[in-house]
Amino acid sequence: VRPYDGPRAEGRPARDHELAVVISELKLVKDEWEIAQLQEAIDATVRGFEDVARVLPADRGVSERLLEGVFALRARHDGNDVGYGSIVGAGEHATTLHWVHNHGTTRPGELLLMDMGVENRNLYTADVTRVVPVDGRFTPLQRQVYDIVYASQQAGIDFIKPGVEFREVHRTCMRVLAEGLADLGLLPVSVDEAMDEKSTIYRRWTLHGFGHMLGIDVHDCANASKEKYREGTLGEGYVLTVEPGLYFQPDDELVPEELRGIGIRIEDDVLVTASGAVNLSAGLPRTADEVETWLAAQREAGPRLPG
């Protein structure tokens, strides 16, 4: 649901907007039934990622749309449909934030970014992103960038608990990314200077915030007031994504040539509890070593049909 941005001064449109705000704010806290629906959608999404990994060749290319279709089969079988247009970005396509054309081809030696989610039969949706090395092993440089993004995501997840500010989760993730960019020798200023609101030069390579609310819409609660959402604090029962990323455009002359065309995002669906964050999508591995081991295991198991 997109926020209403038309006239609100008088008549029906203003009332529609008011209703949308109230509904969004009521949706911020998920009850036990809703959390179960989300977990069902996420579990089906895990199976969908496994299906894709099982048909992804290590030694030759396949079309992005083949992989999109394999996941879509799982979504239709185990749920209602995909929750949003699947993003299957091979190689430099991963640097396009919402790559939905999916008309490319995987290549051994490159990375494959997949941002996909099953919508269950009650219309609750998952939203998960994983990046895998097509040939099964990250190169040292790919792993270095991956580890930066992983550290950023883990820092955000560790920071989440009731009462923390939404924007402080963002700053926590972004600082780790900025530190990583400094380690790569890309920041022209210090990390503190880059993080200053008057600079934010790090955003050239991060492109987006740390995440969003999740529920019956993939961008749930989008009409909530900024005081209750983007400028508010997290509460027990909130479900949100944590999805930092680094993206080096293929024509970016401010980065070394070997970094150009690398795009990495790791996204999980997190429940805020009294004691902190619970990763509802922990069924999929996140560390570089775990991803390599998981991919090998899925390939060894071989293709399967749902059911």
Side-chain angles (χ1 to χ4, degrees), residues 29 35 55 59 88 168 217 249 278:
V29 176
I35 293 168
V55 301
D59 58 351
V88 182
E168 286 304 312
D217 292 309
Q249 303 304 318
V278 172

Side-chain angles (χ1 to χ4, degrees), residues 6 61 68 82 108 114 130 154 159 177-179 197 247:
E68 175 190 358
V82 292
M114 298 173 287
R130 287 294 185 271
Q154 189 61 52
F159 186 74
L177 293 182
E179 290 169 348
E197 291 184 3
Y247 311 90

Side-chain angles (χ1 to χ4, degrees), residues 91-216:
E92 67 181 41
H93 291 164
T95 67
T96 298
L97 198 54
H98 294 108
W99 176 259
V100 293
H101 302 294
N102 297 344
H103 55 50
T105 302
T106 64
R107 292 182 179 85
E110 294 185 344
L111 299 177
L112 172 67
L113 183 152
M114 298 173 287
D115 185 336
M116 309 185 294
V118 172
E119 176 187 76
N120 84 343
R121 291 181 175 87
N122 288 312
L123 309 185
Y124 284 78
T125 187
D127 185 4
V128 177
T129 305
R130 287 294 185 271
V131 171
V132 300
V134 172
D135 61 12
R137 294 288 179 184
F138 291 100
T139 68
L141 184 60
Q142 290 169 349
R143 179 179 284 262
Q144 184 180 4
V145 178
Y146 188 96
D147 286 348
I148 292 168
V149 176
Y150 171 78
S152 170
Q153 192 205 29
Q154 189 61 52
I157 293 173
D158 289 343
F159 186 74
I160 288 173
K161 63 181 179 181
V164 304
E165 294 182 10
F166 185 92
R167 59 187 173 188
E168 286 304 312
V169 183
H170 171 79
R171 288 186 60 82
T172 297
C173 291
M174 294 304 115
R175 173 165 284 275
V176 176
L177 293 182
E179 290 169 348
L181 289 166
D183 291 341
L184 289 168
L186 301 182
L187 282 187
V189 297
S190 71
V191 172
D192 286 340
E193 289 173 310
M195 291 294 296
D196 188 282
E197 291 184 3
K198 295 179 182 178
S199 171
T200 65
I201 193 170
Y202 67 89
R203 293 181 63 183
R204 177 184 180 93
W205 300 289
T206 62
L207 300 186
H208 56 81
F210 85 89
H212 53 81
M213 297 299 168
L214 183 70
I216 202 166

